[in-house]
Amino acid sequence: MTAAALIPAAPSWAQETTPPTINVATLSPSAPTGQNNWYRDSVTLNMSATDDVGIDKFQYSLNGGAAYIDVPVAGAPASATASAVITQEGNTSVRYRAVDTSGNVAAFRSISVRIDTRAPAASYPAITDGHVGHVATLIPTRTDPTPGSGGVAVLNMYLDGKLVPPLPVQTSDLSLGVHTLAVHLSDAASNSAKYTQTFIVTTSFADVGTLIAGFVTAGSVPAEAGAALQAKLDQAKALADADSAKPARQVLNEFVSIANARIAHGSVRSTLVGDARYLIDQLNGRLAPEPATGLKSEPAEGPKFIPDPVLAPLPHNPHADYNVLIFSKTTGFRHDHIPHTVAAIQKLGIAHNFNVDVYDPQLPTVTLPTSPFLSLDTLKQYDTIVFESNVGHPGPLNSITEQPNFEAYMNQGGGYVGIHGAADSFEIGTWPWYGNLVGGFFTNHPNGQNGFGQCGSCIHTEVVTEDKTHPATAHLPARWMTVDELYNFDRNMRADVHTLLSLNEDSYQRSLNSGNAATNPLQLMNGDHPIAWCQNWDGGKAFSTILGHFRTQYYDDSFMRIILGGIETTADRKGANCSSYRETSLLIEADRAAGLLTAAAADAAGAALDIARDSYLATNYTTAIPALNSIVALANDKASGDAAARSELARQARELREWMQNLNRNR
């Protein structure tokens, strides 16, 4: 008898009880085909597991484990793989597990699968059967088919074929007749479509009465004229209701005569006259045949995905004209555009012959090994320093070992370029010097929609180019549209800095892309909203642009010319008039304290500067100019004080005067 024969056979009920080992699943394709981690097509779930007795099948669940779908495995292998195609739309937590041939079930794992294949849709509730009155507000209702990725953004909006900011449309601003309103929509996954609504603006007696009341309230129509017009309108309506069409037409003609005689030529008069003549034609039965109306949809491109660049140090060029440092270290919110900004400025360095170093421990492939702010001598190697969204509270520079060196660097003629989140660096009140350097601290910004792709907080705005003499802005049109994250600040810095660009708050205060702003206006900066500026500060040259959140900006040549102009001027490679009223005010007070200006001269110069500054803030540039001329005359008077101090005061006053003259010419 063998030894093996002495071992009793296992009873039939003694089965293997160890469940399979299920591995972490993967998805194919591995990278989402849409934005914000969404797929825009079906996804393959790739599962694998091992087991001592063999894998019988895999299972997956799309409803939280309430039901599982089998994926059989042939041959009961000890190591098995299987795939399943997932088509369920929405954000699904897919559970998956393996079952062996003994019936043992592995504990489930789960993976998130986000699929959205359908574009958002638009409709216009205010438009009925293709018609809308003359006092309506058109706000497109935007929906994403459920379950979808949501975050629907209006990428572009067109009124009668013209690109316009995505805002509510007041039909009172439109002429009577046919119009088109188109919206290019995208959801968070970047499914996109364009919807074009063709509609006809009509009017009525009630609409005209509402228009008159609105124009009187706005001051566009004198109250007496408004009352006379309303009286004629009421009379005409009563006659029309009594089926007295001919007398009603005669009264409406009298309405037209009053409007022509008592309302200034312009859009208001044209609107009221046009509406009255429409009512006359309606009473005559002579309205023109109407064209076809309706809502048409068509496929459209969504936002492009821009992957992060692979960064490497820019080789040092011993023959470069100058040196630039990018400082993008953060101790707070981390902007995803930072690698793109670094790569874009490196590209500028190659094209314009300046070296670029980077200090940012969170970019290990490109950063300097130690902080250059630990040594003033190290900082002085750089002609200017770019503070690139270096968000941090209390801040990314140590108040003892680094901040004093940077202050000394600026005091000795250094350069500063602040980009976007540089205004959100350091706690308000902890380093006032930096707040004055950057121009103002960030407080908040309007919300946006994830349909923009890689900028969920972006909205459209119109930018006003206030000063085209600066190298950073000379290439820009007087007004231009951009999409970005739009900061509000702890102060109105206009009196302190030399504003180059500002925002037209009317272009986004009711943005369709910012929550309920269309019906509840955003709280912004009370209509005066600088967004890029320069200044001479504490011995150095400073430039700030608060635009630049959206990574697409760093692939736009026009935007990068703004950055280049800031670098070149703060590095003293190109000249720029960056005079400011604060700079000259501080000069006058310092000269007074040092005895370089007589008290009488300082008083007179300060009073004239106050007049010029207040005139500038009120956009009365012609009033500012003679006040500045008086400062120049005072500075040229030997009795006013020290020659060098008077010369510098005259220089600053002349630069302010030149600035005011340019503003006056371009208004």
Side-chain angles (χ1 to χ4, degrees), residues 12-99:
S12 59
W13 49 265
Q15 298 181 0
E16 191 267 343
T17 60
T18 303
T21 299
I22 184 77
N23 300 317
V24 175
T26 62
L27 300 176
S28 296
S30 57
T33 53
Q35 305 243 28
N36 297 296
N37 294 315
W38 285 85
Y39 287 86
R40 295 175 57 195
D41 205 339
S42 60
V43 181
T44 300
L45 174 69
N46 304 305
M47 301 169 286
S48 64
T50 58
D51 187 79
D52 291 341
V53 299
I55 303 296
D56 178 55
K57 61 184 176 182
F58 290 90
Q59 296 179 319
Y60 68 96
S61 173
L62 303 177
N63 57 6
Y68 277 90
I69 301 169
D70 289 344
V71 183
V73 175
S79 179
T81 61
S83 297
V85 176
I86 309 298
T87 60
Q88 179 166 298
E89 302 218 4
N91 187 357
T92 305
S93 179
V94 180
R95 295 186 179 189
Y96 58 95
R97 64 192 187 185
V99 181

Side-chain angles (χ1 to χ4, degrees), residues 401-422:
T401 61
E402 294 178 306
Q403 290 181 14
N405 288 328
F406 181 54
E407 288 192 30
Y409 163 82
M410 290 299 296
N411 186 254
Q412 295 179 28
Y416 166 88
V417 175
I419 297 177
H420 191 59

Side-chain angles (χ1 to χ4, degrees), residues 226-239:
L229 290 169
Q230 186 63 53
K232 289 297 179 183
L233 186 70
D234 292 342
Q235 182 183 358
K237 183 178 186 305
L239 290 168

Side-chain angles (χ1 to χ4, degrees), residues 13 67 149 151 206 258 274 280 370 523 546 637 662:
W13 49 265
S149 54
I258 293 172
I280 292 170
T370 58
Q523 297 299 308
I546 313 301
D637 184 351
N662 285 331

